[in-house]
Amino acid sequence: MLLLNNKMPIVLFVLMVLTNNLVAQNEDNAWSTATIIPPQYEGFKPPSAGQWFTDPVFGTSIKRLTDEQNIYGWNGERAMFSKDDKYFLIAVNSPHRLRLFDGRTGDMIRDLPLTISDTSIMRWSYDPQMLVYASGSRLIGYNVATNKKTTLKVFSQQIGDSRGRLCGGDGNDFDDAGEWLLLNMGTQMFAYNIRNGETGPQKDLSGFDVDYCTISPSGNYIIATTSQAKYVWNRDWTNERRLLDKNRHMDMGYLDGSEECVISRVGAAIMYAVRFSDGKKFEVLSSDRWFSPMLSAVGGSNKKFVYLAMRAHELDPKQEWYRYFGELVQVPLTKEASPIRRLAHHRTRIAVNGTSFADQPELWINHAGDRLFFRSNMDNYVQKGRHDLYMIKLDELSLSTSTEETRHTQIYTQKKEIIISSDLPSMSSVYDIMGRLITKSSEKRIPIHQPGIYIVVVEQEHKPSYRKKVLVQ
C-alpha cells in the first residue's frame, strides 16, 4: 500500500503528460492541412442517445441525439432551424413524419401531427413558430406550438408541383429573414413576401433546363442551378448573368461578412465562393482529389462561414484517403486565404446495400452559427439509410491553434503589438478569432489596433508553419 502511494505521483504525472499531449495533438489536427484518416474506421461505436463523446482526432465534443436509426434528412442547404434557433425540424422514417427537436440542447420535443405526402416541402418563416408549405393553390402556415393551420394566400393556380415542392425542391426557398419566398406556377417563377403580401414579377424559366431555383440570403437575388450552369438575377429578374458551369451542390453566404456569394465546387477539387456582383471567384478550400460535399451556410452562418460534410466516396482509408475526406469542416468565407477548422470525422459512408443519396452525410448550421447538427450512419453500415442525429456546440470549441514552439520562433505580445522573435526570415498572418485575415506582414513587430484574441500563423522557408493564439490588450 505504501509502495503504491509512493508511485502515485509518478503515475499521475505520466497521465497528465499523456493527456496534455493528446489535447495538443487534437488542437493541432483541427487546423492541420495533412491527410488524416479516421481511427477505428470499422469498429468505432458511438454511445447511446443523450450521451457525449469526443472525436479522437480533432477533440470535438459531440452529443448523440437519437439512436433509432431513422433520421431521413434533407440536403444541408435547407434552413432546418427556426428563425430564433429555438427549434430544429427533421424528417424521420418508420413511419415517415416530421420531428421537432430543441435547437439548443438537441433534446426531442415531439412528432408533429401533420399528414403530408412529402415532408421536404416544409420551410421555416419569419415567425419562429410558423412553418410554411404549399398545398394546391394555397400557401399554408402551420404553428408548431398550437398545431393551428392558417391559409396565408390563395393563388390563381397550383403553386409548386403536385407534391408541393417549390421551384424544384432542393433549395432554401426563403431568404434569411423568412419573408421573401420563391414560388413557381409551372415554369413561371416569382418572389412573394409572406409578411406584407408583395408579389414580384414572374419569369418563365422553361428554356433553362432548371434543376432547382432558390432565393439568396438577403432576398435580393434569385439563383437557378441547371444542367449546364448556375445563373443569377436580381429579384426583379433583371441583370441576368452566368456564374458557374454545370450543376453541383451549392449554398450561399457572404464574403467577408458583406458581399453575397454562392459557394460551390469548381473543377475537380477546389471550392470557390463566387461573388454575385461581378462573378469573381475566391478559393476557400482545396483537396487532392475530386470531391462532392454537402454544404450548409444558412443565415450566412452568422455571415462568416460555410460548413461542409465531405463524403468518403467509398474509399478504404487503409489504402487510399485524401485531405478533409469524411470530415465536417468549417470554412471561412474570406477573399484572403484563412485557416480551415476541421471539426470531426462524421463517419458516414455508403452501407452494404445502400445508395449514394440514402447514405450521404448531411449537416445543418443554425442562424447564430453556434450549433451544428448532422446525421450519420456510424452505428449501422449494413442497412441502407440507417442514420441518427448528432450535435456539436460550436460556441464551446477550443479556440487555440497553438502548436509546439520551435527553437527558431517565439510569439508574444505587448500592448497593441504582436512580436515575432525568430532567427529566420518569416511571413506572419494575423487572423481574428473568427478566422478573418487582419494583416499579413514580414515585420517582427505587428501593430494591432483593437484588443482581443488573435491567431498568428508564421511561415518560414523549409519549416512547418507555426500557429499560436495570443491575447492583445
Side-chain angles (χ1 to χ4, degrees):
M1 189 69 174
L2 181 61
L3 181 62
L4 179 62
N5 287 339
N6 287 338
K7 288 186 176 180
M8 188 62 71
I10 299 175
V11 173
L12 290 177
F13 173 76
V14 171
L15 289 175
M16 183 177 69
V17 170
L18 290 174
T19 302
N20 289 341
N21 286 341
L22 177 61
V23 171
Q25 182 184 30
N26 287 338
E27 291 179 351
D28 291 349
N29 288 339
W31 300 94
S32 170
T33 57
T35 297
I36 303 176
I37 66 172
Q40 298 177 274
Y41 196 60
E42 300 297 334
F44 183 86
K45 287 293 181 182
S48 58
Q51 302 299 309
W52 290 84
F53 64 99
T54 300
D55 183 280
V57 172
F58 303 110
T60 300
S61 295
I62 300 170
K63 183 180 181 181
R64 185 175 186 175
L65 304 183
T66 69
D67 55 12
E68 297 174 341
Q69 300 180 5
N70 65 347
I71 296 297
Y72 182 73
W74 301 296
N75 291 344
E77 296 96 308
R78 303 289 182 84
M80 303 315 301
F81 288 86
S82 58
K83 184 70 176 92
D84 60 359
D85 291 331
K86 181 179 179 180
Y87 299 115
F88 176 84
L89 182 76
I90 200 69
V92 297
N93 286 318
S94 303
H96 198 65
R97 60 205 184 278
L98 288 167
R99 180 166 291 177
L100 201 64
F101 289 83
D102 186 305
R104 305 306 297 165
T105 66
D107 296 334
M108 176 187 167
I109 298 176
R110 65 189 179 100
D111 290 338
L112 298 182
L114 271 174
T115 304
I116 51 178
S117 60
D118 188 342
T119 54
S120 72
I121 68 176
M122 308 301 288
R123 301 287 188 272
W124 286 106
S125 72
Y126 68 89
D127 181 338
Q129 294 184 334
M130 186 170 70
L131 293 166
V132 174
Y133 64 99
S135 177
S137 62
R138 297 185 303 153
L139 194 63
I140 307 295
Y142 173 80
N143 189 298
V144 299
T146 65
N147 297 325
K148 182 180 179 180
K149 295 181 184 178
T150 304
T151 298
L152 304 176
K153 173 75 174 178
V154 180
F155 293 89
S156 60
Q157 56 184 288
Q158 176 181 297
I159 50 176
D161 63 16
S162 60
R163 296 184 296 170
R165 290 165 62 91
L166 299 173
C167 308
D170 279 344
N172 185 44
D173 307 317
F174 268 118
D175 64 356
D176 281 349
E179 298 181 1
W180 281 105
L181 176 64
L182 192 64
L183 299 173
N184 71 294
M185 293 188 292
T187 59
Q188 298 285 334
M189 297 198 185
F190 60 98
Y192 175 73
N193 191 302
I194 69 166
R195 187 191 286 269
N196 62 26
E198 181 182 349
T199 302
Q202 296 185 14
K203 184 175 180 64
D204 185 354
L205 293 184
S206 57
F208 283 84
D209 189 23
V210 171
D211 180 20
Y212 70 94
C213 284
T214 188
I215 202 160
S216 74
S218 69
N220 293 330
Y221 301 97
I222 295 170
I223 188 165
T225 180
T226 76
S227 60
Q228 298 300 316
K230 285 182 171 62
Y231 295 88
V232 66
W233 297 265
N234 296 343
R235 192 175 64 224
D236 60 4
W237 298 106
T238 59
N239 194 20
E240 176 185 311
R241 54 258 195 219
R242 178 170 172 154
L243 291 184
L244 294 170
D245 292 336
K246 303 198 184 220
N247 172 28
R248 298 185 177 94
H249 281 291
M250 59 98 181
D251 210 336
M252 290 169 286
Y254 293 87
L255 269 168
D256 290 326
S258 61
E259 299 176 292
E260 278 189 283
C261 63
V262 60
I263 308 107
S264 183
R265 195 192 80 237
V266 179
I270 299 177
M271 184 73 65
Y272 283 98
V274 185
R275 193 162 53 195
F276 283 160
S277 61
D278 58 7
K280 186 173 181 180
K281 298 195 293 284
F282 300 89
E283 181 181 327
V284 294
L285 177 140
S286 66
S287 189
D288 305 311
R289 175 198 184 272
W290 175 88
F291 61 86
S292 178
M294 304 302 293
L295 302 88
S296 185
V298 172
S301 301
N302 207 14
K303 296 190 176 182
K304 294 180 177 69
F305 305 104
V306 63
Y307 292 84
L308 308 182
M310 301 285 283
R311 300 173 193 252
H313 292 295
E314 300 184 76
L315 298 180
D316 181 350
K318 291 180 290 187
Q319 299 181 21
E320 183 182 9
W321 205 252
Y322 298 92
R323 183 171 63 248
Y324 306 128
F325 274 39
E327 296 178 23
L328 304 171
V329 295
Q330 179 194 66
V331 181
L333 292 177
T334 55
K335 299 186 189 74
E336 300 291 338
S338 298
I340 292 169
R341 179 70 186 253
R342 303 167 78 162
L343 301 171
H345 283 115
H346 54 68
R347 297 180 178 271
T348 309
R349 63 180 191 251
I350 298 177
V352 173
N353 66 342
T355 64
S356 178
F357 178 77
D359 292 323
Q360 68 187 11
E362 296 188 12
L363 75 172
W364 302 274
I365 186 67
N366 68 350
H367 295 273
D370 61 7
R371 294 290 186 276
L372 185 72
F373 284 29
F374 68 98
R375 73 169 194 171
S376 175
N377 63 349
M378 69 176 80
D379 213 16
N380 188 337
Y381 294 136
V382 177
Q383 297 169 284
K384 178 177 73 175
R386 294 303 183 98
H387 296 268
D388 280 304
L389 196 62
Y390 298 83
M391 178 183 75
I392 297 173
K393 291 185 177 182
L394 295 173
D395 56 344
E396 294 183 5
L397 290 179
S398 167
L399 297 175
S400 174
T401 59
S402 177
T403 61
E404 182 183 358
E405 288 198 58
T406 70
R407 61 187 177 88
H408 299 288
T409 304
Q410 288 185 328
I411 301 174
Y412 56 98
T413 64
Q414 63 182 33
K415 190 174 182 180
K416 294 188 176 181
E417 274 191 328
I418 294 174
I419 300 173
I420 314 297
S421 175
S422 176
D423 56 5
L424 295 174
S426 60
M427 176 64 70
S428 302
S429 300
V430 180
Y431 301 88
D432 68 13
I433 201 61
M434 303 310 296
R436 293 171 295 201
L437 181 68
I438 302 301
T439 186
K440 193 167 187 175
S441 175
S442 60
E443 300 296 322
K444 302 301 182 185
R445 305 178 77 95
I446 303 174
I448 299 296
H449 303 294
Q450 294 291 332
I453 298 174
Y454 294 88
I455 297 166
V456 184
V457 181
V458 179
E459 305 282 351
Q460 295 172 331
E461 190 174 0
H462 306 306
K463 297 290 180 183
S465 62
Y466 166 49
R467 297 172 172 83
K468 187 174 183 180
K469 182 182 71 173
V470 298
L471 174 63
V472 178
Q473 296 179 326

